[in-house]
Amino acid sequence: MEVRGAGRIARAAVTALKRYCDESEFATSEELYRGLLGAGARLKDARPTAVSLPNAINYVLSAAGRGAEKGISLDSLVASIDEACNSFIDSSLRAVQTIGMIGAKRIVDGDTIMTHCNSEAVTTVLTTAHSEGKRFNVIVTETRPKYQGRITASVLAKNGLTVSLIPDSAARVYMRKVDKEIVGADAIASNGAVVNKIGTAQMAVIAHETRTKFYVAAETYKLSPTTMLGELVEIEDRGSLEVVPRKWQESNKKVKVLNPAFDITPPEFIDLIITEQGIFPPQGMVLLMRELYPAPTQKPTDASAGAKRSDLTKARLRRNR
Ligand code: RI2
């Protein structure tokens, strides 16, 4: 939880792989590739829900795998891994900026926007709209138990936006005044369901009830290709001490404190998903996923070109294993 936000987690993992290659000593390219596979597996285990993490790691591993298969020298392999890492990071940062520009078009003067948790994609949409001269109000839910809403509120206020912070439990009271709810995503399933910070799904239900627009802002490397095979996204369960103090728990041993970190918003409660590739209804996710990822049973067709492309989203990423 030191690195927060699915996009930042992906970039941090890729940076770790780059350091692993640059700072470790290997005798041969095979040894480096084997080591990299192990490091990638450990990193993937760190946060099970954010699909951006395995997608980013697989992007680097597949570039390294192609080099290793060709039997290139150790120096060349290190160089190609560095190139893949830089390419991912650049594409990720560019994707967030593009989402900011596309999403800002959805905001109009006088809007009241609600958001939940802390999403870089969402804050970029809001700060971009503000920098374009639009004036609107933002309501941020505090996002228990880790209060990431405070980070969002603070970032937006420092950028000059008008912000209110409310308890999560007050969302229904304020939703009637809200024009658009915009949230981020940790993973998007092929049916358009969105996995995001716990509490998102209930915001979506309330938005639905009040006919408030519900938008998701997310980079396409948050698409989960294995959901095309019917696999479910694993929801991370976190410790009880994020919810209650140790002293309270010790004096209430019979109470089981539960702390799921994410929930799933079904596609019927989502109006639009804003990506760097454009805006889609949730039902369009499966088509986008088919375009960006190879069919589950088929080998990537242009995998060798993937690592060289500056636009990551145009590359055929190896599917998330
Ligand atoms: P960006 C965060 O999870 C939140 O759930 C947020 O909505 C989502 O990642 C996407 O954030 P966590 O990593 O990638 O804080 O848009 O557990 O920054």
Side-chain angles (χ1 to χ4, degrees):
M1 287 300 285
E2 280 176 35
V3 181
R4 288 192 218 95
R8 284 198 183 92
I9 287 172
R11 294 196 294 273
V14 162
T15 305
L17 287 179
K18 192 166 143 60
R19 281 187 57 189
Y20 177 79
C21 290
D22 292 343
E23 294 175 11
S24 308
E25 290 192 359
F26 300 98
T28 63
S29 50
E30 291 77 28
E31 204 179 286
L32 164 59
Y33 181 54
R34 271 201 308 277
L36 197 70
L37 289 177
R42 278 188 66 188
L43 284 166
K44 283 180 198 175
D45 278 348
R47 298 292 302 272
T49 303
V51 171
S52 50
L53 176 65
N55 279 347
I57 291 166
N58 288 341
Y59 179 73
V60 176
L61 293 183
S62 78
R66 289 190 298 274
E69 268 170 34
K70 283 189 209 148
I72 62 175
S73 70
L74 182 59
D75 284 351
S76 305
L77 187 58
V78 170
S80 73
I81 294 167
D82 267 5
E83 193 188 330
C85 292
N86 293 336
S87 158
F88 180 85
I89 293 167
D90 289 352
S91 302
S92 166
L93 293 170
R94 246 196 338 270
V96 173
Q97 292 311 312
T98 306
I99 289 170
M101 289 188 289
I102 296 174
K105 292 197 174 79
R106 297 272 149 181
I107 296 176
V108 296
D109 272 331
D111 265 352
T112 296
I113 314 278
M114 188 183 277
T115 189
H116 183 62
C117 199
N118 179 239
S119 155
E120 190 183 22
V122 174
T123 52
T124 307
V125 167
L126 299 174
T127 53
T128 304
H130 182 78
S131 68
E132 288 172 354
K134 292 173 184 172
R135 292 298 170 255
F136 52 93
N137 298 315
V138 184
I139 299 175
V140 184
T141 40
E142 59 185 353
T143 319
R144 269 191 55 83
K146 296 286 282 180
Y147 299 103
Q148 292 100 324
R150 291 179 186 171
I151 303 171
T152 305
S154 172
V155 167
L156 296 178
K158 281 181 187 144
N159 278 278
L161 283 81
T162 307
V163 194
S164 310
L165 183 71
I166 61 166
D168 301 333
S169 46
R172 190 166 183 273
V173 171
Y174 290 98
M175 193 63 87
R176 288 186 195 284
K177 296 181 184 155
V178 172
D179 299 287
K180 289 142 200 165
E181 167 96 25
I182 314 179
V183 298
D186 289 83
I188 300 177
S190 59
N191 69 346
V194 167
V195 181
N196 194 49
K197 187 51 44 78
I198 192 76
T200 303
Q202 65 203 30
M203 303 296 168
V205 172
I206 300 168
H208 189 71
E209 177 203 31
T210 53
R211 295 171 175 262
T212 303
K213 295 282 181 207
F214 192 90
Y215 298 158
V216 175
E219 308 88 300
T220 54
Y221 53 76
K222 292 171 183 169
L223 301 177
S224 172
T226 56
T227 56
M228 283 195 283
L229 300 170
E231 278 188 29
L232 302 176
V233 175
E234 186 184 337
I235 301 295
E236 180 181 352
D237 263 318
R238 298 186 59 83
S240 59
L241 295 182
E242 287 183 356
V243 181
V244 293
R246 186 181 296 280
K247 210 170 159 200
W248 187 93
Q249 196 178 42
E250 281 168 4
S251 56
N252 291 277
K253 289 205 170 77
K254 288 192 176 162
V255 180
K256 189 175 176 186
V257 179
L258 305 173
N259 185 17
F262 303 95
D263 62 21
I264 302 167
T265 302
E268 54 269 30
F269 294 137
I270 299 167
D271 290 289
L272 292 172
I273 299 182
I274 304 163
T275 79
E276 76 281 10
Q277 300 265 333
I279 296 186
F280 301 86
Q283 295 74 15
M285 284 300 108
V286 68
L287 298 174
L288 187 60
M289 226 177 259
R290 282 204 191 121
E291 192 190 316
L292 297 175
Y293 292 83
T297 51
Q298 153 196 336
K299 277 195 90 176
T301 48
D302 63 346
S304 58
K308 290 184 190 141
R309 290 191 184 179
S310 57
D311 187 351
L312 170 71
T313 57
K314 285 190 185 137
R316 300 287 192 267
L317 303 183
R318 272 194 200 275
R319 73 193 158 88
N320 170 20
R321 285 180 229 284

